Amino acid sequence: MSTAKIILGEKEYELPVVVGTENEVGIHTTKFRGQSGAITLDPGFGSTGSCESGITFINGEEGILRYRGYAIDELAEKASFPEVCYLLIYGELPNKAQLEKFSDDLTRHSLIHEDMKKFYEGFPANAHPMAILSSMVCSLSTYYPETGEPGEDDLNIIRLLAKAKTIAAFAYKKSIGQPFIYPKNDLSYSANFLNMMFAVPAEPYTVDPIFESTLNKLLILHADHEQNCSTSAVRLVGSSHANIFASMTSGICALWGPLHGGANQAVIEMLTMIHNDGGDYKKYVKKAQDKSDDFKLMGFGHRVYKNFDPRARILKAAAGEILEKMGVNDPLLDVARQLEEVALNDDYFVQRKLYPNVDFYSGIIYRAMGIPTEMFTVMFALGRLPGWISHWREMRNDPSMRIGRPRQIYTGPQGRTFVPVESR
Ligand code: ACO
């Protein structure tokens, strides 16, 4: 199968077929408009591939997720987050020396310019930390403008990964009125972040190793998910050759929405609402099916997974295990389990293949670690950053990539004559 045919009116068009390494099939339509004058129309891009990519493979029907060929379960179990960042960005697992250097670089570039601290003074105390994260990441471009020097991209990649966690932790400290805690070079990526979040100058603080390893796992699970909404935003913005910081900012903003990464915050708000309403989860399962009601089961459904989100499976097990280890009894976990059970056996959800997604259980774990609800999407952004970077880098290094510029079918008024305001 090397070509596909489209018959449009009297004419037949032969289009090349592209087959991926996992036998995914795509019909290459780039030249179709030039040949026929017609476009392919696919709102929401359900059947449209925007690129060829060697980073992440998902088989939604079978619930498979792999980064650069490695199964997500294995990476979440055995790898460190910096190791996964390196793998995603550079395509191979680092050797010992490469990993040591990469991890060391990530530590040494953690500080943000002292002047950047002043930006925090301008934000209101109740500013959403996603607004702060996006503004601060974009403002990094003012400190590190692109010059085209060799090696600059690699250095900016390190800066981004290293500083994002500091920016995020400072956003939290700002929201609770506590002094900023500076990064410490002897801590791992995850422990460093947790220390900046929870340490206070008045007393010693040691990061709980359970929190550290849990955060490492969560970051890995979020690290990439091929052409999702935020990654596509990064690619689209980056395709105009906007700088890396501006491109990442677009990803952060896209992730913020409740239909995407913002769902982890929305899940906890939903579970709290159900709990406060007497825990009648069945009522909410019914409400989610009512087309006249805007209510959806947040944390359910996925554009790609029509089996089970493999990340949700790992997190469901982790949530129970971690809460037990920490001796936390969270009534929201019971509501979540009951809701999941009812929904999974309900015809509406079964027929539409709606399963819990990664956001359904992640919030419960973050809560148990003491991370406030408003920070959940920020946690997701920290995890997804290496994914965005690897897609940005893949695209910028691909000589065949053109600026992203979709077409449309115009449905507005046909040409008409301007009428002066006095005569309208
Ligand atoms: N609750 C109730 N019904 C749902 C839900 C839900 N969570 N999700 C989908 N449906 C229904 C739709 O109403 C539609 O029903 P219909 O066929 O009768 O019209 C059907 O299932 C198909 O859903 P679509 O909206 O067409 O699926 P789409 O792929 O466009 O959207 C999305 C996927 C945005 C994730 C959607 O399932 C949703 O809104 N879920 C809740 C928000 C959420 O959890 N987002 C996080 C996604 S994971 C991530 O981004 C990290």
Side-chain angles (χ1 to χ4, degrees):
M1 183 176 33
S2 59
T3 57
K5 285 179 183 161
I6 294 185
I7 299 169
L8 188 65
E10 301 292 297
K11 282 189 88 175
E12 185 176 283
Y13 300 88
E14 196 157 309
L15 302 168
V17 165
V18 181
V19 182
T21 47
E22 292 284 350
N23 294 322
E24 291 178 301
V25 177
I27 303 167
H28 215 301
T29 54
T30 304
K31 299 220 165 97
F32 183 57
R33 186 176 184 283
Q35 292 165 356
S36 68
I39 62 164
T40 54
L41 185 64
D42 181 18
F45 311 122
S47 297
T48 297
S50 60
C51 59
E52 292 176 49
S53 176
I55 300 170
T56 288
F57 173 68
I58 303 176
N59 180 328
E61 282 71 35
E62 291 180 27
I64 294 173
L65 169 61
R66 293 186 205 127
Y67 299 161
R68 303 278 188 187
Y70 295 98
I72 189 67
D73 317 56
E74 216 179 347
L75 290 171
E77 196 57 44
K78 299 178 186 163
S80 69
F81 180 61
E83 208 170 2
V84 170
C85 292
Y86 190 101
L87 170 71
L88 283 168
I89 297 166
Y90 297 110
E92 295 296 336
L93 284 169
N95 64 27
K96 200 160 177 285
Q98 286 166 329
L99 181 59
E100 271 170 20
K101 163 134 184 29
F102 190 70
S103 303
D104 190 53
D105 283 348
L106 284 189
T107 303
R108 290 186 187 283
H109 286 270
S110 294
L111 275 174
I112 58 170
H113 194 292
E114 280 294 292
D115 289 351
M116 286 186 81
K117 282 172 33 192
K118 298 201 184 90
F119 296 163
Y120 287 88
E121 289 165 23
F123 292 119
N126 61 354
H128 196 288
M130 283 298 274
I132 299 185
L133 183 70
S134 56
S135 315
M136 296 297 281
V137 166
C138 201
S139 69
L140 285 174
S141 60
T142 63
Y143 292 85
Y144 310 106
E146 275 182 354
T147 59
E149 296 267 315
E152 184 178 59
D153 282 354
D154 291 330
L155 184 55
N156 281 340
I157 286 170
I158 291 285
R159 283 172 174 148
L160 262 165
L161 289 168
K163 295 180 198 308
K165 65 179 180 315
T166 311
I167 290 172
F170 282 14
Y172 172 59
K173 287 296 196 192
K174 155 82 190 180
S175 74
I176 54 169
Q178 283 187 4
F180 298 146
I181 301 294
Y182 280 48
K184 284 174 80 178
N185 286 0
D186 59 340
L187 296 179
S188 73
Y189 189 97
S190 299
N192 213 346
F193 171 73
L194 291 168
N195 189 63
M196 287 190 280
M197 285 280 291
F198 298 121
V200 284
E203 57 192 20
Y205 172 81
T206 311
V207 176
D208 186 324
I210 301 179
F211 286 10
E212 183 182 356
S213 67
T214 304
L215 180 57
N216 182 64
K217 188 178 283 207
L218 280 158
L219 293 173
I220 291 173
L221 290 175
H222 284 95
D224 194 41
H225 215 232
E226 49 115 310
Q227 312 309 321
N228 55 84
C229 174
S230 55
T231 303
S232 297
V234 167
R235 277 190 177 257
L236 194 60
V237 171
S239 78
S240 74
H241 291 196
N243 69 65
I244 190 169
F245 303 107
S247 304
M248 295 308 130
T249 305
S250 67
I252 296 168
C253 293
L255 188 76
W256 192 359
L259 296 190
H260 192 12
N264 54 14
Q265 175 173 339
V267 167
I268 291 298
E269 287 163 357
M270 175 189 76
L271 294 175
T272 307
M273 179 176 76
I274 297 175
H275 178 64
N276 293 344
D277 190 23
D280 187 358
Y281 45 89
K282 289 182 186 157
K283 172 174 134 192
Y284 287 89
V285 171
K286 286 281 159 272
K287 214 168 136 56
Q289 303 174 20
D290 180 354
K291 295 290 175 203
S292 64
D293 190 324
D294 284 347
F295 178 79
K296 280 185 173 192
L297 272 196
M298 299 313 285
F300 266 76
H302 199 275
R303 173 63 61 81
V304 180
Y305 292 119
K306 300 300 171 198
N307 182 317
F308 211 92
D309 182 339
R311 303 165 301 172
R313 187 182 284 128
I314 298 171
L315 284 183
K316 182 183 177 181
E321 208 178 297
I322 289 157
L323 263 59
E324 197 182 318
K325 264 194 211 161
M326 288 171 5
V328 175
N329 186 9
D330 188 344
L332 296 196
L333 181 61
D334 294 335
V335 177
R337 283 180 176 144
Q338 287 157 341
L339 199 60
E340 180 187 351
E341 201 183 315
V342 174
L344 290 182
N345 291 306
D346 186 292
D347 275 356
Y348 174 93
F349 289 85
V350 173
Q351 276 163 16
R352 289 169 180 76
K353 300 188 170 146
L354 300 170
Y355 295 90
N357 57 48
V358 67
D359 291 322
F360 194 65
Y361 280 104
S362 60
I364 289 173
I365 303 179
Y366 289 136
R367 249 166 79 89
M369 291 165 75
I371 292 170
T373 313
E374 285 217 326
M375 282 292 287
F376 290 0
T377 315
V378 170
M379 306 304 295
F380 193 155
L382 291 183
R384 183 53 57 86
L385 197 51
W388 292 332
I389 292 171
S390 53
H391 284 272
W392 179 88
R393 189 171 175 274
E394 181 178 62
M395 181 197 59
R396 288 296 297 268
N397 291 334
D398 176 355
S400 69
M401 276 310 293
R402 303 160 75 198
I403 187 167
R405 204 303 184 186
R407 297 247 177 195
Q408 62 165 17
I409 296 292
Y410 176 69
T411 59
Q414 291 188 318
R416 39 187 177 165
T417 309
F418 178 78
V419 179
V421 70
E422 303 76 39
S423 317
R424 268 178 243 156

